[in-house]
Amino acid sequence: MNATAPFHPGHAFPHDFVWGVATSAYQIEGAAAVDGRGPSVWDSFCAVPGAIADGSNGDVACDHYHRWAQDLDLIRDLGVDAYRFSVSWPRVQPDGMGAWNPKGLAFYERLVDGLLARGIKPYLTLNHWDLPDALQARGGWAARDTVHRFVDYALQMDRHLGDRIASITSHNEPWVMATLGHETGLFAPGIKHRATAMQVAHHLMLSHGLALQALRAQGCQARLGIVLNLSPIRAATDRPEDIAQARLEDGRSVRWYMDPLLRGAYPDDVLQHLGADAPQVEAGDMAAIQTPLDFLGLNYYTRSVVSADGSWDVKTSGKPLTDMGWEVYPEGLTELLLRLHRDWPLPPLYVKENGAAFKDVFADGRVHDVERTDYIARHIAAVGDALRQGVPVVGYMVWSLLDNFEWASGYAKRFGIVHVDYATQQRTLKDSALWYRDFLRAQKLARAAR
Ligand code: IFM
């Protein structure tokens, strides 16, 4: 496969476009029982037999908790502008309420100061799925009280780090936490109950809005927003039942989140479809969710093609598939960005995650990950296409810096542009990392020449 970017990078991107790499706490930190960290829902979920494909967990992961300085050096050497990481709530507040853990807070202080010392902007995510288990015991995200616990946590993180971070994301991918965590049960906390899932989705959105309001009232200096996982949803055929199914899935995964954030209401067709499973919404909730955003982040990996009878098979798409079985479909990112721009009054947009798992072959001390390099180059080109058509995209971040714990898939799926040998914790830049580094150098030269 040809790994050359199908565009001239120097022309496509504005001088202040933010380039980054992303990770999340549970997927890389390890040190699960170190320095007073409390258990999260993912620690408990990993202990359920059969929940994780390879029976693994995040106890050690990439041991980033101890190797953070070396990892920050890697990030600096890539030449990115920004690093997106998440805070482990149970590391800084083991029970999700009450006492704070000074050692946990100190870790994130070191991380943020380490980024700044290397000239990298810290982009912090508050919730990348690892809710303190003690809060799950009190009902988790299905309980309205968790909304208020989350606001307290957000304020505390701002008090510690707010003067030094560029951006705070409230939640990463609320659809995943709600639907995979509480409807299909494939992710922590492993609940299978649609009404619960919809209440969780509502509480996540409400806690996002209330946290933004509280952070602004506290004088937070960082830019504030949320990150959604979005895909264009296509009907497999022109049959009315497939078109209706695609419309419903678009409602449940895209409009269910975009409409309240930017229009202050849940979509009527989805509410009707949910019937008694629709969430309990109190007076003032929708206005809180619509609190203005400084940015909206989206994570894009693939498109979704649906048929009413579930018969569409991605293997017939004719496109390459990643190791997750996801179709490589970069044009879907341009489509999605154009659609968001057309249908909602958008704040500045970031692609906060984009990348691919492939079976890497480690040979002669190198990983020649041609497919991943091609994937990233084509998706960057797709962002350039959207930019040229007027979509206000301000940044792009590769998922992920490191191979890491890929949730229910365990360690078998490798998304990193940096290879991790889990036996030795040795890091090796894959060819995709070298390509990204060279691409960013070319961007900087083009900026300087302008
Ligand atoms: O690894 C995940 C990440 O935690 C959230 N977005 C999708 C990635 C790949 O599945």
Side-chain angles (χ1 to χ4, degrees):
M1 204 176 282
N2 181 1
T4 310
F7 64 104
H8 189 292
H11 286 219
F13 297 94
H15 72 280
D16 52 356
F17 196 83
V18 178
W19 297 100
V21 283
T23 63
S24 88
Y26 191 74
Q27 292 178 274
I28 65 165
E29 284 180 2
V34 172
D35 287 347
R37 175 188 177 276
S40 80
V41 289
W42 272 92
D43 295 289
S44 301
F45 188 65
C46 289
V48 175
I52 309 300
D54 58 5
S56 64
N57 57 46
D59 283 2
V60 178
C62 307
D63 194 31
H64 171 75
Y65 186 76
H66 297 112
R67 295 167 197 266
W68 61 272
Q70 171 198 345
D71 291 340
L72 297 197
D73 287 347
L74 277 178
I75 299 172
R76 177 200 55 211
D77 294 347
L78 289 174
V80 295
D81 304 301
Y83 173 51
R84 175 174 181 236
F85 64 96
S86 77
V87 171
S88 157
W89 185 354
R91 193 181 290 292
V92 297
Q93 192 182 34
D95 290 337
M97 56 196 305
W100 300 97
N101 176 18
K103 288 186 176 165
L105 291 166
F107 170 69
Y108 294 106
E109 301 241 6
R110 288 198 291 282
L111 191 71
V112 166
D113 289 342
L115 286 166
L116 294 175
R118 291 166 179 79
I120 305 157
K121 293 191 181 81
Y123 276 54
L124 181 151
T125 299
L126 290 166
N127 174 22
H128 198 124
W129 311 352
D130 45 356
L131 184 76
D133 226 11
L135 288 185
Q136 188 61 41
R138 299 166 67 95
W141 283 110
R144 197 169 167 103
D145 187 56
T146 300
V147 170
H148 304 294
R149 304 283 69 78
F150 179 78
V151 173
D152 287 350
Y153 158 55
L155 290 174
Q156 176 75 351
M157 294 317 297
D158 176 48
R159 281 192 285 273
H160 275 265
L161 302 171
D163 56 335
R164 282 162 284 167
I165 48 183
S167 150
I168 297 179
T169 291
S170 55
H171 301 297
N172 184 68
E173 302 183 351
W175 178 89
V176 170
M177 285 180 276
T179 306
L180 301 188
H182 298 81
E183 186 169 337
T184 66
L186 293 172
F187 278 16
I191 291 167
K192 295 181 187 166
H193 190 252
R194 188 171 75 165
T196 305
M198 298 321 293
Q199 196 62 48
V200 163
H202 179 65
H203 287 158
L204 287 165
M205 299 302 275
L206 177 62
S207 64
H208 151 82
L210 292 178
L212 259 58
Q213 291 180 356
L215 286 167
R216 288 196 179 118
Q218 184 166 267
C220 178
Q221 298 299 304
R223 311 291 291 163
L224 305 177
I226 188 168
V227 174
L228 307 178
N229 56 304
L230 302 175
S231 291
I233 317 271
R234 291 285 161 265
T237 72
D238 289 343
R239 284 200 300 266
E241 59 272 30
D242 289 349
I243 291 171
Q245 187 65 27
R247 175 81 186 150
L248 177 62
E249 301 229 348
D250 178 73
R252 289 213 51 196
S253 62
V254 179
R255 290 180 287 118
W256 186 262
Y257 297 92
M258 291 296 290
D259 276 1
L261 287 169
L262 296 160
R263 294 212 184 98
Y266 289 121
D268 282 338
D269 59 328
V270 183
L271 284 172
Q272 256 185 29
H273 164 80
L274 290 171
D277 288 349
Q280 306 274 323
V281 175
E282 295 188 9
D285 286 3
M286 299 315 293
I289 296 173
Q290 206 189 356
T291 299
L293 297 164
D294 294 326
F295 70 85
L296 174 68
L298 67 99
N299 296 345
Y300 176 81
Y301 290 90
T302 189
R303 68 169 171 170
S304 174
V305 180
V306 295
S307 50
D309 61 5
S311 63
W312 193 77
D313 181 356
V314 69
K315 293 196 195 85
T316 62
S317 77
K319 306 274 183 189
L321 304 184
T322 72
D323 201 24
M324 299 294 283
W326 299 345
E327 189 187 11
V328 177
Y329 195 73
E331 51 272 53
L333 179 52
T334 314
E335 262 172 50
L336 174 67
L337 289 164
L338 289 169
R339 187 265 176 119
L340 297 176
H341 186 46
R342 187 193 67 211
D343 287 358
W344 289 280
L346 295 178
L349 278 183
Y350 285 89
V351 176
K352 283 273 178 95
E353 285 182 25
N354 175 243
F358 285 107
K359 289 232 179 312
D360 291 331
V361 181
F362 198 88
D364 307 328
R366 301 272 304 266
V367 178
H368 301 298
D369 57 340
V370 179
E371 292 152 303
R372 180 177 296 100
T373 308
D374 188 69
Y375 179 101
I376 294 171
R378 287 180 189 282
H379 284 79
I380 290 176
V383 173
D385 286 346
L387 257 175
R388 278 188 288 276
Q389 294 177 69
V391 183
V393 193
V394 297
Y396 170 92
M397 301 196 181
V398 171
W399 183 271
S400 177
L401 171 69
L402 302 171
D403 289 334
N404 60 49
F405 175 73
E406 177 53 25
W407 307 111
S409 305
Y411 292 97
K413 308 293 181 197
R414 291 178 175 268
F415 274 88
I417 57 172
V418 175
H419 181 272
V420 177
D421 177 335
Y422 295 113
T424 61
Q425 292 295 348
Q426 168 93 22
R427 275 74 160 139
T428 306
L429 270 64
K430 301 180 191 177
D431 285 0
S432 54
L434 301 174
W435 179 87
Y436 195 43
R437 182 196 64 191
D438 293 348
F439 166 77
L440 296 180
R441 278 188 190 152
Q443 283 293 305
K444 286 194 179 129
L445 286 174
R447 279 177 198 178
R450 261 179 240 157

